Amino acid sequence: MSKTPLYQQIRHMIRSKIMSGELRPKDRVPSEQEIMEEYMVSKITVKNALSALADEGLIVRIQGKGTFVSPEIELMDRTKPLEQTRGQQDGNYIGFIIPTLKTKVIQRLLDYVEYYINEAGYQLVLHITRESSLKESRAISELIQSKEIKGFIVFPTEDETYNESLLRLSLDKFPLVLIDRYLRNIDTYRITADNFGGVYEAVSLLLKKDHKQIALISPDKTNTSIEDRTSGFERAYVDNGMLIDKSLWCHVPIHLLRNGDPLAYITDFLYHHSHISAALTLTAEMTNLTHQGLHNLDRNSDIKLISFDDPDLLGIPFISQDEQTMARSAVDILIKQIQGEYDPLKIVVPVSLKHVDPELL
C-alpha cells in the first residue's frame, strides 16, 4: 500500500498531465465528480488535491464555470519537481483521523481543521476509520511510518476499548490532540464541546416548564461524549430535586444503528411509553429517528423534542456545538506540541441552545 496520501497521489497525476503538456494553459480540468469517478476517491480527497494544485498556481478555479489550467503555466519551469514548487514543505503534514463524514459536526470540523492547518503552514492528511478501531490503528501506523507526519488530530472511534495506538502516541508524547471524544483517565490533550453543560441546561429548562416525564434517547453509552451528555441529564434532575425514571431511557444498541432497524426499536419504545411529554435526543441521528417514530405514531404535536446537534428539522430546538473554536483550539495546541511544549490541556468549548420556543424560556 502506498504511504503517499490519496489526495497527493491524485495531485501528482493531474500535475504530471499539466507539466507534460497533456493539459495546456486555459484547458479545462476534469470536474470534482469526474475525478471522483475516474480514481474512485471521495469528494474531500479531490478537494484537497485541487486545493494543493491551486496553491501551487497550476490551476485556477472560477465559480460557476469550473477549474482550468493556469494561463501563466508557460512561465513556470515544467521540469521543477513537485517537492520544490510553491507552497510545499517536506514533512509538514498533520494527520486528521475521523470516524465518518456523515455528520454535519464532523464535516464542519474537517473544514475548519483543514483551514487552520493550512494557515499554520502545514497540510492535512485525512483518514476515515468508519468507526473501526482496527482501521484507526492502521491509519496511525501507516502515517507514522511515512516519517512525514508531525502530529495527529484524532476524533476517536466509538468502540468501548481503548486503542493501543492512541495510548502509545500519548505515552511517547508524540504531538496529539483528541477532539470531541477522548480517553478517560488518560492524560492527553483534548478538545470537547460542553456535552455535560449543554444537556444540563436543556433538561433543566424542560423541568422548569413542568415536563416531568422526559425521555432520554441515545446510542449505547460507548463513548465519552454520550457518557458526559447522559451525566448532564442525570445532574439536571438531581439539582432540580426530581427523581429520575430510567425506564424512560432508550439506549439504541450500536449493532442496530450500524446494521439493523433502529427506527423500529425507537418507535416501539415510544409506543410503550405514551405518557412522556418531552424527549432529549443525544445525537442528530437519534433526533431524526425519534421524529420519524413520533410521526408514525401521530404524536409529533404533543411531545417536546430537543436535540443535541442540528438535526435539520424545522422547528426542533437543538444544542449547537462551536466547531470553529474546537478546530482552531485543536490546531493551536497541536502546533505548540510540535514546537516542543508538553503540558496536556483539557479544553471544554461552550455550546448554545438554538431555536428554543419562547414558551420554554
Side-chain angles (χ1 to χ4, degrees), residues 109 178-180 190-198 229 308 319-330 333 346-352:
L109 282 174
L178 302 182
I179 195 165
D180 190 271
R190 72 188 193 215
I191 307 288
T192 69
D194 188 2
N195 294 299
F196 178 97
R229 291 170 194 177
F308 203 109
I319 300 161
S320 177
Q321 300 189 59
D322 184 352
E323 295 92 353
Q324 182 172 7
T325 298
M326 291 172 69
R328 185 177 62 244
S329 300
I333 63 175
K346 302 176 181 68
I347 297 176
V348 178
V349 178
V351 298
S352 57

XYZ file of all heavy atoms in Angstrom, residues 109 178-180 190-198 229 308 319-330 333 346-352:
270
model
N -16.032 20.318 11.339
C -14.720 20.196 11.971
C -13.638 20.015 10.914
O -12.570 20.647 10.984
C -14.706 19.022 12.944
C -15.362 19.235 14.313
C -15.393 17.921 15.084
C -14.629 20.306 15.120
N -6.883 14.933 20.898
C -8.144 14.216 20.711
C -9.264 15.243 20.674
O -9.313 16.150 21.517
C -8.374 13.218 21.843
C -7.282 12.158 22.032
C -7.663 11.201 23.156
C -7.032 11.390 20.738
N -10.154 15.092 19.707
C -11.230 16.061 19.540
C -12.581 15.363 19.664
O -12.766 14.253 19.161
C -11.085 16.796 18.177
C -11.951 18.053 18.129
C -11.367 15.887 17.001
C -11.589 19.000 16.992
N -13.494 15.981 20.379
C -14.850 15.505 20.657
C -14.862 14.360 21.665
O -15.279 14.531 22.796
C -15.587 15.093 19.375
C -17.070 14.844 19.653
O -17.445 13.700 19.996
O -17.856 15.789 19.537
N -6.909 17.371 24.842
C -8.212 17.062 24.272
C -9.072 18.320 24.180
O -8.962 19.237 24.995
C -8.931 16.005 25.084
C -9.445 16.472 26.443
C -9.972 15.301 27.245
N -10.740 15.715 28.400
C -10.764 15.094 29.556
N -10.046 13.987 29.717
N -11.515 15.520 30.554
N -9.913 18.327 23.156
C -10.855 19.411 22.923
C -12.246 18.788 22.841
O -12.476 17.883 22.030
C -10.585 20.134 21.583
C -9.133 20.594 21.484
C -11.547 21.303 21.401
C -8.774 21.739 22.355
N -13.168 19.234 23.669
C -14.539 18.745 23.583
C -15.508 19.908 23.671
O -15.177 20.982 24.188
C -14.876 17.755 24.725
O -14.923 18.467 25.968
C -13.852 16.639 24.817
N -16.720 19.673 23.170
C -17.812 20.600 23.443
C -18.265 20.378 24.884
O -17.946 19.359 25.506
C -18.959 20.350 22.475
N -19.015 21.323 25.413
C -19.538 21.173 26.770
C -20.753 20.248 26.729
O -21.909 20.693 26.843
C -19.912 22.539 27.351
C -20.277 22.460 28.836
O -20.192 21.355 29.409
O -20.643 23.505 29.410
N -20.476 18.962 26.561
C -21.545 17.971 26.439
C -22.409 17.921 27.701
O -23.642 17.863 27.628
C -20.944 16.595 26.163
C -20.260 16.532 24.826
O -20.875 16.732 23.788
N -18.965 16.244 24.819
N -21.752 17.919 28.846
C -22.457 17.883 30.131
C -23.330 19.125 30.295
O -24.533 19.038 30.562
C -21.440 17.781 31.265
C -22.041 17.782 32.647
C -22.280 16.593 33.316
C -22.368 18.980 33.286
C -22.839 16.589 34.598
C -22.925 18.995 34.559
C -23.157 17.786 35.214
N -22.731 20.294 30.144
C -23.440 21.548 30.383
C -24.585 21.794 29.426
O -25.631 22.331 29.817
N -24.405 21.415 28.152
C -25.458 21.627 27.164
C -26.722 20.857 27.500
O -27.838 21.384 27.443
N -22.947 13.550 28.179
C -24.290 14.094 27.947
C -25.305 13.411 28.873
O -26.199 14.068 29.420
C -24.689 13.906 26.478
C -23.875 14.766 25.532
C -24.086 14.425 24.062
N -23.048 15.048 23.248
C -22.927 14.898 21.931
N -23.787 14.136 21.278
N -21.948 15.511 21.293
N -29.400 17.168 20.621
C -28.002 17.589 20.700
C -27.476 17.547 19.267
O -27.458 16.483 18.629
C -27.170 16.659 21.588
C -25.935 17.339 22.122
C -25.840 17.685 23.464
C -24.879 17.668 21.287
C -24.705 18.337 23.961
C -23.754 18.319 21.755
C -23.662 18.657 23.103
N -29.031 21.779 20.711
C -27.814 22.229 21.376
C -26.730 22.297 20.304
O -26.402 21.292 19.667
C -27.415 21.254 22.496
C -28.542 21.164 23.538
C -26.105 21.684 23.147
C -28.465 19.926 24.406
N -26.179 23.485 20.104
C -25.237 23.708 18.999
C -23.797 23.733 19.495
O -23.456 24.456 20.432
C -25.569 25.031 18.304
O -24.636 25.325 17.280
N -22.953 22.938 18.848
C -21.519 22.952 19.151
C -20.832 24.049 18.337
O -21.279 24.404 17.245
C -20.887 21.599 18.810
C -21.481 20.426 19.568
C -20.683 19.157 19.368
O -19.501 19.104 19.688
N -21.328 18.116 18.861
N -19.732 24.554 18.857
C -18.934 25.577 18.173
C -17.743 24.890 17.512
O -16.636 24.853 18.049
C -18.478 26.630 19.186
C -17.719 27.786 18.550
O -17.417 27.711 17.345
O -17.407 28.759 19.273
N -17.983 24.342 16.315
C -16.948 23.563 15.636
C -15.733 24.412 15.264
O -14.603 23.917 15.267
C -17.508 22.906 14.373
C -18.585 21.869 14.630
C -19.984 22.439 14.610
O -20.106 23.686 14.521
O -20.953 21.659 14.676
N -15.952 25.682 14.956
C -14.827 26.536 14.563
C -13.846 26.721 15.718
O -12.629 26.589 15.539
C -15.322 27.896 14.068
C -14.180 28.797 13.591
C -14.674 30.068 12.924
O -15.867 30.367 12.917
N -13.764 30.832 12.360
N -14.371 27.014 16.900
C -13.493 27.187 18.066
C -12.802 25.873 18.426
O -11.610 25.862 18.779
C -14.301 27.705 19.267
O -14.844 28.995 18.939
C -13.429 27.831 20.502
N -13.532 24.759 18.324
C -12.931 23.456 18.607
C -11.771 23.181 17.661
O -10.691 22.752 18.076
C -13.986 22.354 18.509
C -15.035 22.396 19.608
S -16.401 21.232 19.330
C -15.537 19.657 19.579
N -11.982 23.438 16.371
C -10.945 23.170 15.374
C -9.741 24.082 15.571
O -8.588 23.627 15.546
C -11.520 23.348 13.968
N -10.000 25.371 15.772
C -8.896 26.315 15.961
C -8.084 25.967 17.201
O -6.845 25.991 17.175
C -9.442 27.745 16.067
C -8.330 28.798 16.152
C -8.876 30.212 16.187
N -9.711 30.446 17.351
C -11.006 30.718 17.297
N -11.630 30.773 16.133
N -11.694 30.925 18.411
N -8.763 25.623 18.283
C -8.064 25.266 19.521
C -7.232 24.002 19.331
O -6.098 23.911 19.827
C -9.075 25.055 20.652
O -9.830 26.218 20.892
N -7.787 23.015 18.619
C -7.070 21.765 18.380
C -5.783 22.008 17.599
O -4.713 21.489 17.947
C -7.963 20.775 17.638
N -3.073 24.041 19.814
C -2.321 23.302 20.838
C -1.495 22.173 20.216
O -0.493 21.750 20.800
C -3.231 22.774 21.966
C -4.264 21.776 21.460
C -3.893 23.907 22.697
C -5.102 21.161 22.583
N -6.966 20.259 28.773
C -8.323 19.758 28.560
C -9.207 20.981 28.348
O -9.521 21.701 29.300
C -8.786 18.926 29.752
C -7.895 17.733 30.058
C -8.363 16.999 31.313
C -7.464 15.817 31.624
N -6.112 16.215 32.031
N -9.591 21.220 27.108
C -10.370 22.409 26.772
C -11.819 22.016 26.502
O -12.089 21.124 25.682
C -9.776 23.121 25.539
C -8.350 23.615 25.854
C -10.666 24.281 25.099
C -7.647 24.243 24.679
N -12.736 22.664 27.214
C -14.168 22.429 27.019
C -14.758 23.688 26.373
O -14.703 24.781 26.953
C -14.879 22.129 28.355
C -16.377 21.940 28.127
C -14.275 20.876 28.997
N -15.300 23.533 25.178
C -15.813 24.666 24.410
C -17.320 24.822 24.672
O -18.072 23.856 24.542
C -15.564 24.453 22.902
C -16.151 25.607 22.088
C -14.060 24.319 22.632
N -17.765 26.020 25.062
C -19.191 26.224 25.355
C -20.093 25.891 24.173
O -19.687 25.998 23.010
C -19.266 27.722 25.693
C -17.884 28.091 26.123
C -16.970 27.235 25.303
N -21.315 25.473 24.489
C -22.344 25.207 23.480
C -23.464 26.224 23.689
O -23.443 27.008 24.633
C -22.892 23.772 23.597
C -21.785 22.753 23.349
C -23.536 23.538 24.964
N -24.459 26.211 22.792
C -25.584 27.143 22.926
C -26.863 26.473 22.456
O -26.839 25.572 21.607
C -25.329 28.421 22.121
O -25.093 28.110 20.752
